[in-house]
């Protein structure tokens, strides 16, 4: 522990930073508590702490001055959709083209040039659980968690690449955690034997934490001797890559391409070979996977160009007349909805970390932050009382020299888990339904005939609406099929009873039947 003989210096630094209140309860603290508080304050640095608090208060003041519903001046005039030559689409591409991209992606995976990077530092407050989102079980028949589903997809896509090109390949998995999620995530992976991935290929690292700040620029105390801290947003990735020497590790392994995604999407395709192959074929240094916006005012950021620079523009910043513009084919002009699913080259990430990271702007998040009051009682506020500054992972698009976007089908690749039931969307119920509906479609396409518990045929439904449960329950292990491939050998013309859990042993039994 750090010595406390420099307490006067600590007090003087905080006074200069306008943060003397942080030592308000110093006389009441035990020696170990004093040492821990002093260490955290020294790690932040009084000058940097003061600057951080001023930035937060200034950002809040600017936001308060903006007119409700206002849009950044001149934005509409400089707005352009992603140009066709930099835009790919699953739905609008020929099967042969998709196969070519997939083969290129599998080739890169087989050569050990691809890694996946998971953003898992958030607390999942809206989901209402005290553990990382990746450990959440949405209620599938298998009871698999998000972490397990993702680990098994990694194993399967590496297997597919190895089989196609006759190699034994590794697909490293980097997981960015935070102070809140690192310990539980480490223990979870250890307790589950890393889901049969090599321990050396699962690399956990931690992003920075920043103090939460009051509206008038004071750092908030979470306890008498503890600051209220929060992860610095998913855009904290670039600082964390440098701080933890992750880029050096990637270079040592021969990694050239990195697929980055958020933990909460139950349908995410790990190291998606079609997406990777598309980006590599286009010579991209940076790419975004997107879904078509469902309607003009859907609350999702839009990937587009502003004055020639690619970025994600928040839906609230786009004037309604622009959001409602349509192309001759009837599609929305600004339709590329951001889903936090990205491709980067290692060279690009190295350049960002070394050169551009300090230029990333901080975004304001107004939150309810628990705090201790003047007499030391801990308070859980009923309304927002604090500011958290965050950086966004997509804010590096502006530095790309060859940016591309790749549109995928929402029902096949995007169903986030953000809210607790019984919210209307992005809940355990909607995530579970999305996965089971997808697997029902796969089984149906492979020729399965579902029967109920009495042996009666279950009528097929060719097209499910988003809020409709599939007529039969079918879960397919990622170890059996990564994205619906090779299922005919198990299911074609087979009568199977609902619920069906098609794991490796069940698949083998059906194959031999």
């Amino acid at each position: 522990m750090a010595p406390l003989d420099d307490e006067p210096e600590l007090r003087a630094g905080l006074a200069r930073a306008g943060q003397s209140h942080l030592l308000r309860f110093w006389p009441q603290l035990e020696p170990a508590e004093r040492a821990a508080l002093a260490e955290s304050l020294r790690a932040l640095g009084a000058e940097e702490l003061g600057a951080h608090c001023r930035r937060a208060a200034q950002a809040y003041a600017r936001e308060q001055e903006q007119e409700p519903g206002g849009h950044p001046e001149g934005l509409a005039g400089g707005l352009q959709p992603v140009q066709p030559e930099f835009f790919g689409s699953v739905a609008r591409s020929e099967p042969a083209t998709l196969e070519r991209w997939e083969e290129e992606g599998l080739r890169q995976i087989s050569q050990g040039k691809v890694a996946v990077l998971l953003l898992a530092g958030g607390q999942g407050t809206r989901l209402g659980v005290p553990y990382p989102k990746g450990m959440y079980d949405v209620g599938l028949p298998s009871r698999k968690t998000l972490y397990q589903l993702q680990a098994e997809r990694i194993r399967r896509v590496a297997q597919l690449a190895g089989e196609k090109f006759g190699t034994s390949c590794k697909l490293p998995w980097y997981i960015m955690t935070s102070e809140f999620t690192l310990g539980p995530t480490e223990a979870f992976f250890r307790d589950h034997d890393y889901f049969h991935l090599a321990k050396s290929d699962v690399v956990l690292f931690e992003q920075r934490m920043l103090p939460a700040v009051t509206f008038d620029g004071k750092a908030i105390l979470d306890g008498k001797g503890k600051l209220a801290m929060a992860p610095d947003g998913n855009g904290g990735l670039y600082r964390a890559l440098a701080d933890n020497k992750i880029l050096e590790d990637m270079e040592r392994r021969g990694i050239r391409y990195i697929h980055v995604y958020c933990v909460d999407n139950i349908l995410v395709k790990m190291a998606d070979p079609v997406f990777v192959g598309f980006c590599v074929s286009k010579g991209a240094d940076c790419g975004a996977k997107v879904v078509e916006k469902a309607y003009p005012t859907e609350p999702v950021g839009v990937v587009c160009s502003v004055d020639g620079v690619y970025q994600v523009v928040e839906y609230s910043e786009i004037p309604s007349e622009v959001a409602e513009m349509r192309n001759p084919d009837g599609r929305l002009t600004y339709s590329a909805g951001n889903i936090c699913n990205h491709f980067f080259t290692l060279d690009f990430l190295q350049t960002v970390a070394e050169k551009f990271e300090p230029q990333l702007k901080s975004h304001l998040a107004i939150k309810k932050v628990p705090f201790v009051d003047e007499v030391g009682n801990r308070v859980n506020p009923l309304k927002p009382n604090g500011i958290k500054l965050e950086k966004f992972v997509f804010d590096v698009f502006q530095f790309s020299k060859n940016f591309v976007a790749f549109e995928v089908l929402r029902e096949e690749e995007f169903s986030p888990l953000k809210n607790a039931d019984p919210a209307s969307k992005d809940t355990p119920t909607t995530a579970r339904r999305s996965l089971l509906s997808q697997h029902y479609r796969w089984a149906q396409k492979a020729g399965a005939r579902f029967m109920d518990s009495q042996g009666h045929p279950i009528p097929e439904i060719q097209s499910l609406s988003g809020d409709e449960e599939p007529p039969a329950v079918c879960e397919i292990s990622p170890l059996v099929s990564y994205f619906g491939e090779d299922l005919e050998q198990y299911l074609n013309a087979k009568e199977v009873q609902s619920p069906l859990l098609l794991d490796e042993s069940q698949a083998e039994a059906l194959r031999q039947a």
Side-chain angles (χ1 to χ4, degrees):
M1 284 185 183
L4 297 181
D5 53 9
D6 61 348
E7 180 194 333
E9 183 181 335
L10 193 64
R11 286 187 178 278
L14 290 174
R16 288 192 298 272
Q19 304 296 321
S20 296
H21 65 287
L22 296 177
L23 298 182
R24 180 191 307 145
F25 302 106
W26 186 266
Q28 302 175 32
L29 300 180
E30 297 294 330
E33 294 174 316
R34 289 185 180 185
L37 177 58
E39 185 62 37
S40 65
L41 290 170
R42 288 192 194 93
L44 288 167
E47 187 175 339
E48 175 55 31
L49 174 62
H52 169 75
C53 292
R54 287 191 296 275
R55 281 195 300 271
Q58 289 163 2
Y60 177 73
R62 284 194 300 272
E63 182 170 281
Q64 295 303 108
E65 291 169 3
Q66 284 185 1
E67 292 183 22
H71 307 290
E73 192 172 344
L75 177 63
L79 212 60
Q80 291 291 328
V82 180
Q83 296 305 297
E85 60 268 32
F86 305 120
F87 190 85
S89 170
V90 166
R92 289 176 259 178
S93 297
E94 294 294 328
T97 302
L98 295 174
E99 288 174 13
R100 188 172 70 250
W101 290 335
E102 181 179 54
E103 182 172 344
E104 179 61 32
L106 289 172
R107 178 183 292 107
Q108 298 297 336
I109 293 171
S110 75
Q111 294 174 358
K113 294 179 180 178
V114 179
V116 287
L117 196 157
L118 165 59
L119 304 172
Q123 295 171 261
T125 309
R126 282 187 286 165
L127 192 56
V129 293
Y131 51 81
K133 272 190 192 179
M135 294 163 54
Y136 197 87
D137 163 16
V138 301
L140 295 171
S142 67
R143 312 306 299 190
K144 288 178 181 176
T145 61
L146 297 181
Y147 279 149
Q148 183 170 355
L149 291 170
Q150 292 169 20
E152 291 181 354
R153 286 177 191 145
I154 288 176
R155 289 172 58 192
R156 175 62 179 169
V157 76
Q159 178 189 1
L160 290 172
E163 289 174 352
K164 186 170 187 64
F165 291 97
T167 62
S168 175
C169 56
K170 291 188 173 184
L171 183 53
W173 193 10
Y174 296 88
I175 303 176
M176 185 176 79
T177 64
S178 68
E179 178 183 303
F180 299 124
T181 63
L182 176 60
T185 299
E186 280 184 325
F188 192 73
F189 273 79
R190 188 171 58 248
D191 292 346
H192 291 84
D193 194 26
Y194 294 84
F195 302 103
H196 302 288
L197 293 165
K199 180 181 177 181
S200 60
D201 290 333
V202 180
V203 181
L204 277 67
F205 63 103
E206 196 172 346
Q207 69 184 110
R208 280 198 317 161
M209 304 287 285
L210 293 174
V213 182
T214 62
F215 299 144
D216 59 351
K218 301 295 183 184
I220 297 174
L221 281 173
D222 181 62
K224 291 182 179 181
K226 187 176 188 297
L227 276 78
M229 304 287 282
D232 57 352
N234 55 28
L237 168 67
Y238 309 106
R239 174 77 176 262
L241 288 174
D243 288 349
N244 295 279
K245 301 191 182 307
I246 298 299
L247 298 174
E248 290 90 332
D249 185 80
M250 290 177 174
E251 190 160 31
R252 188 173 65 252
R253 294 173 187 257
I255 301 299
R256 290 183 59 189
Y257 309 112
I258 299 95
H259 175 219
V260 176
Y261 70 100
C262 276
V263 68
D264 58 12
N265 179 12
I266 197 170
L267 299 181
V268 65
K269 290 176 69 179
M270 318 291 296
D272 176 11
V274 182
F275 181 42
V276 170
F278 167 75
C279 293
V280 171
S281 298
K282 290 288 186 180
D285 56 4
C286 175
K289 188 178 276 195
V290 299
V291 296
E292 186 174 5
K293 285 185 66 173
Y295 50 93
T297 56
E298 183 182 10
V300 60
V302 175
V303 178
C304 57
S305 168
V306 180
D307 296 327
V309 177
Y310 280 105
Q311 58 185 268
V312 175
V313 177
E314 291 301 319
Y315 69 95
S316 58
E317 296 179 347
I318 300 178
S320 58
E321 64 273 16
V322 175
E324 291 170 7
M325 289 171 58
R326 293 187 181 271
N327 299 331
D329 63 2
R331 295 176 185 268
L332 291 171
T333 301
Y334 294 95
S335 65
N338 177 54
I339 60 172
C340 195
N341 193 314
H342 309 307
F343 166 95
F344 300 114
T345 64
L346 180 62
D347 288 344
F348 179 75
L349 289 179
Q350 288 171 329
T351 301
V352 168
E354 293 168 7
K355 184 178 179 182
F356 295 124
E357 194 280 334
Q359 298 178 31
L360 295 178
K361 70 174 183 177
S362 294
H363 300 266
L364 194 69
I366 309 299
K367 302 282 188 178
K368 289 185 282 190
V369 182
F371 65 97
V372 289
D373 62 18
E374 296 290 331
V375 295
N377 296 318
R378 197 164 191 273
V379 179
N380 287 307
L382 299 177
K383 60 182 182 179
N385 65 313
I387 303 162
K388 295 180 181 179
L389 290 183
E390 304 172 329
K391 292 182 177 180
F392 293 161
V393 67
F394 52 71
D395 279 340
V396 299
F397 292 178
Q398 61 184 308
F399 307 122
S400 170
K401 293 180 179 177
N402 193 4
F403 177 84
V404 297
F406 189 67
E407 183 187 82
V408 297
L409 298 174
R410 184 187 301 241
E411 64 269 23
E412 295 291 349
E413 296 202 36
F414 185 57
S415 182
L417 174 63
K418 296 186 180 297
N419 305 309
D421 284 317
S424 60
K425 67 173 189 174
D426 301 342
T427 65
T429 294
T430 60
R432 180 177 64 250
R433 181 190 300 139
S434 294
L435 188 74
L436 294 179
S437 295
Q438 180 188 61
H439 290 188
Y440 172 76
R441 291 192 297 271
W442 290 355
Q444 195 178 38
K445 185 178 179 182
R449 296 199 291 262
F450 285 99
M451 316 297 285
D452 63 21
S453 58
Q454 306 300 314
H456 301 134
I458 297 175
E460 292 185 0
I461 297 180
Q462 294 299 327
S463 181
L464 293 167
S465 64
D467 57 357
E468 188 176 7
E469 296 288 345
V473 175
C474 171
E475 181 187 351
I476 299 170
S477 167
L479 299 174
V480 173
S481 185
Y482 171 76
F483 197 64
E485 79 288 338
D486 299 335
L487 291 174
E488 290 80 7
Q489 60 180 314
Y490 312 120
L491 297 176
N492 188 34
K494 299 283 177 64
E495 292 184 350
V496 291
Q497 185 175 317
S498 172
L500 171 66
L501 176 54
L502 190 63
D503 57 17
E504 290 175 290
S505 60
Q506 178 69 11
E508 183 58 24
L510 284 170
R511 191 180 66 82
Q512 294 183 5

